[in-house]
Amino acid sequence: MPTLHLEMHPGRTVQQKRAFVREVTKVTAETLACPPESVDILISEVPRDAWAKAGKLLADA
Ligand SMILES: O=C(O)/C=C/C=C(\O)C(=O)O
């Protein structure tokens, strides 16, 4: 089964996440030719003080 992982900062509403998983599931099922029921999406919310880029925490940028 396709399993998609999304890592992003906290702050999106549940409505935004609901719309995201609905649309991404639809596109995944169409493009990968699999049933929507087989598509899992895991959303992880990583705060800016736990995410670094180029050696710097995003919270410090
Ligand atoms: O990596 C960055 O500079 C920005 C990442 C942004 C997100 O993950 C987000 O908007 O959730």
Side-chain angles (χ1 to χ4, degrees):
M1 72 184 162
T3 302
L4 289 74
H5 296 253
L6 170 65
E7 295 177 353
M8 65 180 182
H9 301 319
R12 274 73 180 203
T13 66
V14 69
Q15 289 85 358
Q16 288 175 306
K17 289 184 269 190
R18 194 173 284 125
F20 175 82
V21 300
R22 181 184 62 241
E23 295 303 317
V24 170
T25 296
K26 191 165 64 178
V27 169
T28 300
E30 287 170 3
T31 58
L32 300 183
C34 62
E37 292 75 17
S38 72
V39 178
D40 286 0
I41 302 173
L42 286 73
I43 299 174
S44 302
E45 297 185 309
V46 183
R48 297 174 68 82
D49 64 1
W51 187 316
K53 180 183 286 201
K56 289 188 176 174
L57 293 175
L58 294 182
D60 295 336

Short mmCIF file of all heavy atoms in Angstrom, two decimals:
data_model
loop_
_atom_site.label_atom_id
_atom_site.label_comp_id
_atom_site.label_asym_id
_atom_site.label_seq_id
_atom_site.Cartn_x
_atom_site.Cartn_y
_atom_site.Cartn_z
N MET A 1 0.85 -1.19 0.00
CA MET A 1 0.00 0.00 0.00
C MET A 1 0.88 1.24 0.00
O MET A 1 1.88 1.29 0.73
CB MET A 1 -0.90 0.01 1.22
CG MET A 1 -0.18 0.30 2.52
SD MET A 1 -1.27 0.20 3.91
CE MET A 1 -0.06 0.01 5.20
N PRO A 2 0.54 2.23 -0.79
CA PRO A 2 1.33 3.46 -0.74
C PRO A 2 1.16 4.16 0.61
O PRO A 2 0.04 4.35 1.10
CB PRO A 2 0.74 4.32 -1.87
CG PRO A 2 -0.06 3.39 -2.70
CD PRO A 2 -0.51 2.30 -1.80
N THR A 3 2.29 4.53 1.19
CA THR A 3 2.27 5.29 2.44
C THR A 3 3.09 6.55 2.22
O THR A 3 4.27 6.48 1.87
CB THR A 3 2.87 4.47 3.59
OG1 THR A 3 2.13 3.26 3.72
CG2 THR A 3 2.80 5.23 4.91
N LEU A 4 2.44 7.69 2.41
CA LEU A 4 3.09 8.98 2.20
C LEU A 4 3.36 9.63 3.55
O LEU A 4 2.50 9.61 4.44
CB LEU A 4 2.20 9.90 1.36
CG LEU A 4 2.04 9.53 -0.12
CD1 LEU A 4 1.14 8.33 -0.30
CD2 LEU A 4 1.47 10.70 -0.89
N HIS A 5 4.55 10.20 3.67
CA HIS A 5 4.93 10.91 4.89
C HIS A 5 5.07 12.39 4.57
O HIS A 5 5.81 12.75 3.66
CB HIS A 5 6.26 10.38 5.42
CG HIS A 5 6.22 8.95 5.83
ND1 HIS A 5 6.22 8.55 7.16
CD2 HIS A 5 6.15 7.82 5.11
CE1 HIS A 5 6.17 7.23 7.21
NE2 HIS A 5 6.13 6.75 5.99
N LEU A 6 4.40 13.22 5.34
CA LEU A 6 4.52 14.67 5.20
C LEU A 6 5.05 15.22 6.51
O LEU A 6 4.46 15.01 7.57
CB LEU A 6 3.16 15.29 4.87
CG LEU A 6 3.10 16.82 4.94
CD1 LEU A 6 3.99 17.47 3.88
CD2 LEU A 6 1.67 17.32 4.82
N GLU A 7 6.16 15.94 6.43
CA GLU A 7 6.68 16.64 7.60
C GLU A 7 6.58 18.13 7.32
O GLU A 7 7.04 18.61 6.28
CB GLU A 7 8.13 16.21 7.86
CG GLU A 7 8.20 14.74 8.25
CD GLU A 7 9.61 14.23 8.46
OE1 GLU A 7 10.57 14.97 8.19
OE2 GLU A 7 9.75 13.07 8.88
N MET A 8 5.96 18.83 8.24
CA MET A 8 5.78 20.28 8.06
C MET A 8 5.69 20.92 9.43
O MET A 8 5.59 20.24 10.46
CB MET A 8 4.51 20.57 7.25
CG MET A 8 3.24 20.18 7.91
SD MET A 8 1.83 20.59 6.84
CE MET A 8 0.48 20.07 7.91
N HIS A 9 5.71 22.24 9.42
CA HIS A 9 5.59 22.98 10.67
C HIS A 9 4.15 22.93 11.16
O HIS A 9 3.22 22.83 10.35
CB HIS A 9 6.03 24.42 10.48
CG HIS A 9 7.44 24.56 10.01
ND1 HIS A 9 8.47 23.79 10.50
CD2 HIS A 9 8.00 25.38 9.10
CE1 HIS A 9 9.59 24.13 9.90
NE2 HIS A 9 9.34 25.08 9.03
N PRO A 10 3.95 23.02 12.45
CA PRO A 10 2.59 23.10 12.97
C PRO A 10 1.93 24.41 12.53
O PRO A 10 2.62 25.36 12.15
CB PRO A 10 2.78 23.12 14.50
CG PRO A 10 4.20 22.81 14.76
CD PRO A 10 4.97 23.08 13.51
N GLY A 11 0.62 24.46 12.58
CA GLY A 11 -0.09 25.71 12.32
C GLY A 11 -1.23 25.60 11.32
O GLY A 11 -2.08 26.46 11.27
N ARG A 12 -1.21 24.51 10.51
CA ARG A 12 -2.33 24.34 9.58
C ARG A 12 -3.56 23.88 10.37
O ARG A 12 -3.47 23.19 11.36
CB ARG A 12 -2.01 23.33 8.50
CG ARG A 12 -1.29 23.91 7.30
CD ARG A 12 0.13 24.24 7.61
NE ARG A 12 0.83 24.81 6.45
CZ ARG A 12 2.16 24.76 6.34
NH1 ARG A 12 2.91 24.21 7.28
NH2 ARG A 12 2.73 25.33 5.30
N THR A 13 -4.72 24.27 9.87
CA THR A 13 -5.96 23.87 10.51
C THR A 13 -6.32 22.43 10.14
O THR A 13 -5.80 21.89 9.15
CB THR A 13 -7.12 24.79 10.08
OG1 THR A 13 -7.35 24.57 8.68
CG2 THR A 13 -6.81 26.25 10.34
N VAL A 14 -7.20 21.85 10.92
CA VAL A 14 -7.65 20.50 10.58
C VAL A 14 -8.38 20.50 9.25
O VAL A 14 -8.32 19.52 8.49
CB VAL A 14 -8.51 19.89 11.72
CG1 VAL A 14 -9.84 20.61 11.85
CG2 VAL A 14 -8.71 18.40 11.51
N GLN A 15 -9.04 21.63 8.91
CA GLN A 15 -9.70 21.71 7.60
C GLN A 15 -8.66 21.65 6.47
O GLN A 15 -8.90 21.00 5.45
CB GLN A 15 -10.52 23.01 7.50
CG GLN A 15 -11.75 23.05 8.36
CD GLN A 15 -11.49 23.50 9.80
OE1 GLN A 15 -10.35 23.76 10.18
NE2 GLN A 15 -12.54 23.59 10.59
N GLN A 16 -7.56 22.33 6.64
CA GLN A 16 -6.49 22.28 5.63
C GLN A 16 -5.93 20.87 5.51
O GLN A 16 -5.69 20.38 4.41
CB GLN A 16 -5.37 23.26 5.98
CG GLN A 16 -5.75 24.71 5.79
CD GLN A 16 -4.65 25.65 6.27
OE1 GLN A 16 -4.21 25.56 7.41
NE2 GLN A 16 -4.22 26.54 5.40
N LYS A 17 -5.71 20.21 6.64
CA LYS A 17 -5.15 18.85 6.59
C LYS A 17 -6.17 17.88 5.99
O LYS A 17 -5.80 16.98 5.22
CB LYS A 17 -4.71 18.42 7.99
CG LYS A 17 -3.46 19.17 8.45
CD LYS A 17 -2.94 18.69 9.78
CE LYS A 17 -3.52 19.46 10.90
NZ LYS A 17 -2.87 19.18 12.20
N ARG A 18 -7.43 18.08 6.31
CA ARG A 18 -8.48 17.21 5.73
C ARG A 18 -8.51 17.37 4.20
O ARG A 18 -8.58 16.38 3.47
CB ARG A 18 -9.82 17.62 6.35
CG ARG A 18 -10.94 16.63 6.13
CD ARG A 18 -12.19 17.03 6.91
NE ARG A 18 -12.08 16.73 8.32
CZ ARG A 18 -12.25 17.61 9.32
NH1 ARG A 18 -12.54 18.87 9.06
NH2 ARG A 18 -12.14 17.24 10.57
N ALA A 19 -8.45 18.60 3.72
CA ALA A 19 -8.47 18.84 2.27
C ALA A 19 -7.21 18.27 1.63
O ALA A 19 -7.27 17.68 0.54
CB ALA A 19 -8.57 20.35 2.00
N PHE A 20 -6.07 18.42 2.30
CA PHE A 20 -4.82 17.90 1.76
C PHE A 20 -4.90 16.38 1.59
O PHE A 20 -4.59 15.86 0.51
CB PHE A 20 -3.65 18.27 2.69
CG PHE A 20 -2.35 17.67 2.26
CD1 PHE A 20 -1.58 18.28 1.28
CD2 PHE A 20 -1.89 16.50 2.84
CE1 PHE A 20 -0.38 17.72 0.87
CE2 PHE A 20 -0.69 15.94 2.45
CZ PHE A 20 0.06 16.54 1.46
N VAL A 21 -5.31 15.67 2.63
CA VAL A 21 -5.32 14.20 2.52
C VAL A 21 -6.36 13.72 1.51
O VAL A 21 -6.14 12.73 0.81
CB VAL A 21 -5.49 13.51 3.90
CG1 VAL A 21 -4.36 13.88 4.83
CG2 VAL A 21 -6.84 13.79 4.54
N ARG A 22 -7.47 14.44 1.40
CA ARG A 22 -8.48 14.05 0.40
C ARG A 22 -7.92 14.18 -1.01
O ARG A 22 -8.00 13.24 -1.81
CB ARG A 22 -9.73 14.94 0.57
CG ARG A 22 -10.86 14.59 -0.40
CD ARG A 22 -12.04 15.54 -0.27
NE ARG A 22 -11.66 16.91 -0.59
CZ ARG A 22 -11.75 17.94 0.26
NH1 ARG A 22 -12.22 17.77 1.48
NH2 ARG A 22 -11.37 19.15 -0.10
N GLU A 23 -7.31 15.34 -1.29
CA GLU A 23 -6.81 15.58 -2.66
C GLU A 23 -5.59 14.72 -2.98
O GLU A 23 -5.49 14.19 -4.09
CB GLU A 23 -6.48 17.07 -2.83
CG GLU A 23 -7.69 17.99 -2.73
CD GLU A 23 -8.78 17.64 -3.74
OE1 GLU A 23 -8.44 17.38 -4.91
OE2 GLU A 23 -9.96 17.63 -3.37
N VAL A 24 -4.69 14.57 -2.04
CA VAL A 24 -3.49 13.76 -2.28
C VAL A 24 -3.86 12.29 -2.44
O VAL A 24 -3.29 11.58 -3.28
CB VAL A 24 -2.45 13.98 -1.17
CG1 VAL A 24 -1.31 12.97 -1.27
CG2 VAL A 24 -1.90 15.40 -1.25
N THR A 25 -4.82 11.83 -1.67
CA THR A 25 -5.27 10.44 -1.82
C THR A 25 -5.86 10.22 -3.21
O THR A 25 -5.58 9.20 -3.87
CB THR A 25 -6.30 10.09 -0.73
OG1 THR A 25 -5.65 10.16 0.54
CG2 THR A 25 -6.87 8.69 -0.94
N LYS A 26 -6.64 11.19 -3.68
CA LYS A 26 -7.25 11.07 -5.02
C LYS A 26 -6.17 11.00 -6.10
O LYS A 26 -6.19 10.11 -6.95
CB LYS A 26 -8.17 12.28 -5.25
CG LYS A 26 -9.04 12.18 -6.46
CD LYS A 26 -10.17 13.20 -6.43
CE LYS A 26 -9.67 14.61 -6.48
NZ LYS A 26 -10.74 15.62 -6.52
N VAL A 27 -5.22 11.90 -6.04
CA VAL A 27 -4.15 11.92 -7.06
C VAL A 27 -3.28 10.66 -6.96
O VAL A 27 -2.89 10.08 -7.98
CB VAL A 27 -3.28 13.20 -6.89
CG1 VAL A 27 -2.03 13.11 -7.74
CG2 VAL A 27 -4.09 14.43 -7.26
N THR A 28 -3.00 10.23 -5.76
CA THR A 28 -2.18 9.03 -5.58
C THR A 28 -2.88 7.81 -6.17
O THR A 28 -2.27 7.02 -6.91
CB THR A 28 -1.88 8.80 -4.09
OG1 THR A 28 -1.18 9.94 -3.58
CG2 THR A 28 -1.03 7.55 -3.87
N ALA A 29 -4.15 7.66 -5.87
CA ALA A 29 -4.89 6.50 -6.38
C ALA A 29 -4.96 6.52 -7.91
O ALA A 29 -4.80 5.49 -8.56
CB ALA A 29 -6.29 6.48 -5.78
N GLU A 30 -5.17 7.72 -8.48
CA GLU A 30 -5.25 7.83 -9.94
C GLU A 30 -3.91 7.55 -10.61
O GLU A 30 -3.83 6.81 -11.59
CB GLU A 30 -5.73 9.24 -10.33
CG GLU A 30 -7.21 9.47 -10.03
CD GLU A 30 -7.60 10.94 -10.18
OE1 GLU A 30 -6.74 11.77 -10.57
OE2 GLU A 30 -8.76 11.26 -9.89
N THR A 31 -2.86 8.15 -10.09
CA THR A 31 -1.57 8.06 -10.78
C THR A 31 -0.86 6.74 -10.53
O THR A 31 -0.11 6.26 -11.39
CB THR A 31 -0.64 9.22 -10.39
OG1 THR A 31 -0.46 9.21 -8.97
CG2 THR A 31 -1.22 10.55 -10.85
N LEU A 32 -1.08 6.15 -9.37
CA LEU A 32 -0.41 4.89 -9.05
C LEU A 32 -1.32 3.68 -9.30
O LEU A 32 -0.91 2.54 -9.06
CB LEU A 32 0.08 4.88 -7.59
CG LEU A 32 1.10 5.98 -7.23
CD1 LEU A 32 1.57 5.81 -5.79
CD2 LEU A 32 2.28 5.98 -8.18
N ALA A 33 -2.54 3.94 -9.78
CA ALA A 33 -3.49 2.88 -10.10
C ALA A 33 -3.69 1.93 -8.92
O ALA A 33 -3.46 0.72 -9.00
CB ALA A 33 -3.04 2.11 -11.34
N CYS A 34 -4.10 2.51 -7.81
CA CYS A 34 -4.39 1.71 -6.62
C CYS A 34 -5.68 2.23 -5.99
O CYS A 34 -6.09 3.38 -6.24
CB CYS A 34 -3.23 1.77 -5.63
SG CYS A 34 -2.89 3.43 -5.01
N PRO A 35 -6.34 1.41 -5.19
CA PRO A 35 -7.57 1.90 -4.56
C PRO A 35 -7.28 2.97 -3.51
O PRO A 35 -6.26 2.87 -2.80
CB PRO A 35 -8.17 0.64 -3.91
CG PRO A 35 -7.12 -0.40 -3.93
CD PRO A 35 -6.05 0.01 -4.88
N PRO A 36 -8.15 3.97 -3.40
CA PRO A 36 -7.95 5.00 -2.37
C PRO A 36 -7.84 4.41 -0.98
O PRO A 36 -7.14 4.94 -0.12
CB PRO A 36 -9.20 5.89 -2.49
CG PRO A 36 -9.80 5.57 -3.80
CD PRO A 36 -9.35 4.22 -4.22
N GLU A 37 -8.52 3.29 -0.77
CA GLU A 37 -8.50 2.64 0.55
C GLU A 37 -7.10 2.15 0.93
O GLU A 37 -6.84 1.86 2.10
CB GLU A 37 -9.47 1.47 0.59
CG GLU A 37 -10.94 1.86 0.51
CD GLU A 37 -11.38 2.29 -0.89
OE1 GLU A 37 -10.67 1.99 -1.88
OE2 GLU A 37 -12.43 2.95 -0.99
N SER A 38 -6.23 2.03 -0.07
CA SER A 38 -4.88 1.52 0.22
C SER A 38 -3.88 2.64 0.51
O SER A 38 -2.73 2.37 0.81
CB SER A 38 -4.37 0.69 -0.96
OG SER A 38 -4.05 1.53 -2.06
N VAL A 39 -4.33 3.89 0.41
CA VAL A 39 -3.40 5.01 0.57
C VAL A 39 -3.40 5.50 2.03
O VAL A 39 -4.45 5.88 2.56
CB VAL A 39 -3.79 6.18 -0.37
CG1 VAL A 39 -2.85 7.37 -0.16
CG2 VAL A 39 -3.78 5.72 -1.83
N ASP A 40 -2.23 5.44 2.63
CA ASP A 40 -2.06 5.99 3.98
C ASP A 40 -1.22 7.26 3.88
O ASP A 40 -0.28 7.33 3.10
CB ASP A 40 -1.33 5.01 4.90
CG ASP A 40 -2.21 3.84 5.32
OD1 ASP A 40 -3.38 3.81 4.92
OD2 ASP A 40 -1.71 2.98 6.06
N ILE A 41 -1.56 8.25 4.69
CA ILE A 41 -0.77 9.48 4.77
C ILE A 41 -0.49 9.76 6.25
O ILE A 41 -1.41 9.79 7.06
CB ILE A 41 -1.51 10.69 4.15
CG1 ILE A 41 -1.85 10.40 2.69
CG2 ILE A 41 -0.67 11.96 4.28
CD1 ILE A 41 -2.72 11.48 2.04
N LEU A 42 0.79 9.91 6.57
CA LEU A 42 1.19 10.23 7.94
C LEU A 42 1.71 11.66 7.96
O LEU A 42 2.64 12.00 7.24
CB LEU A 42 2.29 9.28 8.43
CG LEU A 42 1.84 7.85 8.79
CD1 LEU A 42 1.52 7.06 7.55
CD2 LEU A 42 2.91 7.16 9.59
N ILE A 43 1.07 12.49 8.77
CA ILE A 43 1.48 13.89 8.89
C ILE A 43 2.21 14.07 10.22
O ILE A 43 1.66 13.77 11.28
CB ILE A 43 0.27 14.83 8.83
CG1 ILE A 43 -0.46 14.68 7.50
CG2 ILE A 43 0.70 16.28 9.07
CD1 ILE A 43 -1.78 15.47 7.40
N SER A 44 3.44 14.54 10.12
CA SER A 44 4.21 14.86 11.32
C SER A 44 4.43 16.36 11.36
O SER A 44 4.83 16.96 10.37
CB SER A 44 5.57 14.15 11.29
OG SER A 44 5.41 12.76 11.19
N GLU A 45 4.18 16.94 12.51
CA GLU A 45 4.35 18.38 12.66
C GLU A 45 5.61 18.63 13.49
O GLU A 45 5.70 18.21 14.64
CB GLU A 45 3.11 18.99 13.30
CG GLU A 45 1.89 18.82 12.38
CD GLU A 45 0.64 19.51 12.87
OE1 GLU A 45 0.28 19.30 14.05
OE2 GLU A 45 0.04 20.25 12.09
N VAL A 46 6.55 19.28 12.86
CA VAL A 46 7.87 19.50 13.47
C VAL A 46 8.03 20.99 13.75
O VAL A 46 8.04 21.80 12.80
CB VAL A 46 8.99 19.02 12.54
CG1 VAL A 46 10.35 19.19 13.20
CG2 VAL A 46 8.77 17.56 12.12
N PRO A 47 8.16 21.38 15.01
CA PRO A 47 8.31 22.81 15.29
C PRO A 47 9.62 23.36 14.75
O PRO A 47 10.59 22.63 14.53
CB PRO A 47 8.26 22.90 16.82
CG PRO A 47 8.37 21.52 17.33
CD PRO A 47 8.10 20.56 16.21
N ARG A 48 9.65 24.68 14.57
CA ARG A 48 10.84 25.32 13.99
C ARG A 48 12.07 25.19 14.87
O ARG A 48 13.18 25.28 14.38
CB ARG A 48 10.52 26.80 13.71
CG ARG A 48 9.41 26.98 12.69
CD ARG A 48 9.02 28.45 12.54
NE ARG A 48 10.08 29.22 11.93
CZ ARG A 48 10.30 29.29 10.62
NH1 ARG A 48 9.50 28.65 9.80
NH2 ARG A 48 11.27 30.01 10.13
N ASP A 49 11.86 24.93 16.16
CA ASP A 49 13.04 24.74 17.02
C ASP A 49 13.51 23.29 17.04
O ASP A 49 14.41 22.93 17.81
CB ASP A 49 12.77 25.25 18.45
CG ASP A 49 11.68 24.47 19.17
OD1 ASP A 49 11.12 23.50 18.60
OD2 ASP A 49 11.38 24.84 20.33
N ALA A 50 12.92 22.46 16.20
CA ALA A 50 13.36 21.07 16.07
C ALA A 50 13.67 20.74 14.61
O ALA A 50 13.68 19.59 14.21
CB ALA A 50 12.30 20.12 16.62
N TRP A 51 13.92 21.77 13.82
CA TRP A 51 14.15 21.61 12.38
C TRP A 51 15.32 22.52 12.03
O TRP A 51 15.27 23.73 12.29
CB TRP A 51 12.89 22.05 11.63
CG TRP A 51 12.85 21.81 10.15
CD1 TRP A 51 13.83 22.05 9.22
CD2 TRP A 51 11.73 21.33 9.42
NE1 TRP A 51 13.38 21.73 7.98
CE2 TRP A 51 12.09 21.29 8.06
CE3 TRP A 51 10.44 20.93 9.78
CZ2 TRP A 51 11.22 20.87 7.05
CZ3 TRP A 51 9.57 20.52 8.79
CH2 TRP A 51 9.95 20.48 7.44
N ALA A 52 16.35 21.92 11.47
CA ALA A 52 17.53 22.70 11.12
C ALA A 52 17.78 22.65 9.62
O ALA A 52 17.44 21.67 8.96
CB ALA A 52 18.75 22.17 11.86
N LYS A 53 18.35 23.72 9.12
CA LYS A 53 18.75 23.78 7.71
C LYS A 53 20.11 24.45 7.66
O LYS A 53 20.29 25.51 8.28
CB LYS A 53 17.71 24.57 6.91
CG LYS A 53 18.04 24.68 5.43
CD LYS A 53 17.01 25.53 4.69
CE LYS A 53 15.71 24.75 4.54
NZ LYS A 53 14.88 25.27 3.45
N ALA A 54 21.02 23.83 6.99
CA ALA A 54 22.37 24.38 6.83
C ALA A 54 23.00 24.71 8.18
O ALA A 54 23.68 25.73 8.34
CB ALA A 54 22.34 25.61 5.92
N GLY A 55 22.74 23.85 9.16
CA GLY A 55 23.41 24.02 10.45
C GLY A 55 22.76 25.01 11.39
O GLY A 55 23.31 25.31 12.45
N LYS A 56 21.59 25.51 11.01
CA LYS A 56 20.90 26.47 11.89
C LYS A 56 19.46 26.04 12.11
O LYS A 56 18.77 25.63 11.15
CB LYS A 56 20.90 27.87 11.27
CG LYS A 56 22.26 28.53 11.27
CD LYS A 56 22.15 29.99 10.82
CE LYS A 56 23.50 30.66 10.93
NZ LYS A 56 23.50 32.02 10.39
N LEU A 57 19.01 26.15 13.36
CA LEU A 57 17.59 25.92 13.63
C LEU A 57 16.78 26.97 12.89
O LEU A 57 17.15 28.15 12.86
CB LEU A 57 17.30 26.02 15.13
CG LEU A 57 17.91 24.94 16.02
CD1 LEU A 57 17.62 25.25 17.49
CD2 LEU A 57 17.38 23.56 15.65
N LEU A 58 15.67 26.54 12.30
CA LEU A 58 14.81 27.51 11.62
C LEU A 58 14.32 28.57 12.60
O LEU A 58 14.10 29.72 12.22
CB LEU A 58 13.63 26.80 10.95
CG LEU A 58 13.99 25.85 9.80
CD1 LEU A 58 12.73 25.27 9.19
CD2 LEU A 58 14.83 26.54 8.74
N ALA A 59 14.17 28.18 13.87
CA ALA A 59 13.71 29.14 14.88
C ALA A 59 14.72 30.27 15.07
O ALA A 59 14.36 31.36 15.52
CB ALA A 59 13.46 28.42 16.20
N ASP A 60 15.97 30.01 14.74
CA ASP A 60 17.02 31.02 14.92
C ASP A 60 17.29 31.82 13.65
O ASP A 60 18.08 32.75 13.68
CB ASP A 60 18.32 30.35 15.37
CG ASP A 60 18.19 29.72 16.74
OD1 ASP A 60 17.31 30.16 17.52
OD2 ASP A 60 18.96 28.78 17.03
N ALA A 61 16.67 31.42 12.58
CA ALA A 61 16.98 32.08 11.29
C ALA A 61 16.27 33.43 11.18
O ALA A 61 15.31 33.70 11.86
CB ALA A 61 16.57 31.18 10.14
O1 LIG B 1 12.59 24.26 5.15
C1 LIG B 1 12.14 25.41 5.13
O2 LIG B 1 12.84 26.40 5.02
C2 LIG B 1 10.68 25.61 5.27
C3 LIG B 1 9.82 24.62 5.53
C4 LIG B 1 8.40 24.90 5.65
C5 LIG B 1 7.51 24.02 6.12
O3 LIG B 1 7.86 22.80 6.44
C6 LIG B 1 6.12 24.39 6.36
O4 LIG B 1 5.71 25.47 5.90
O5 LIG B 1 5.43 23.62 7.01
#
